[in-house]
Amino acid sequence: GEAVAYEAEVVGGRGVVEDEVGGLAIALFGTADGSVVNVFERRLETLELHFEPTSDTAETGAIARDHQTGSLWNVAGTAISGPLDGAQLRAVPHFNKLFWFSWALFKPGVRLYGAPVS
């Protein structure tokens, strides 16, 4: 029931954003220019993963590295190397490229990620 809006430029600028929405631990992976942002559950079977951006993007196509295994992940949520190679994160339904303020009309009380809490 919780609604959250994320600015594509913020996600792209960071590469990886972790959050919790409605009790679900999620990760957003974004390309540097913010043109692609995907949302995934951070839980893979019994393991809750935590991610950090990686600088291996140009060489490998990786956008993130998980802290637990050191596996590299691409923007599609697929592990492309490391112990979890070939694993796929579960996608979370989301809307891309909407103006959050327009979307907020349909979701009163939407939380804008990174905005100060009043």
Side-chain angles (χ1 to χ4, degrees), residues 14-100:
R14 295 180 184 180
V16 177
V17 168
E18 290 189 351
D19 201 2
E20 187 172 309
V21 178
L24 182 65
I26 64 169
L28 291 86
F29 294 169
T31 56
D33 64 359
S35 63
V36 176
V37 174
N38 290 313
V39 185
F40 303 99
E41 288 186 30
R42 289 197 333 248
R43 182 163 296 285
L44 185 64
E45 297 176 12
T46 60
L47 185 63
E48 184 171 309
L49 298 169
H50 291 279
F51 298 95
E52 64 186 4
T54 182
S55 59
D56 299 337
T57 302
E59 234 174 78
T60 65
I63 201 137
R65 178 184 313 274
D66 72 66
H67 291 266
Q68 288 71 16
T69 71
S71 297
L72 293 175
W73 298 81
N74 65 20
V75 73
T78 304
I80 56 174
S81 72
L84 296 177
D85 189 21
Q88 178 66 50
L89 297 173
R90 184 175 308 169
V92 173
H94 63 282
F95 296 100
N96 274 331
K97 300 296 177 189
L98 292 177
F99 294 105
W100 77 267

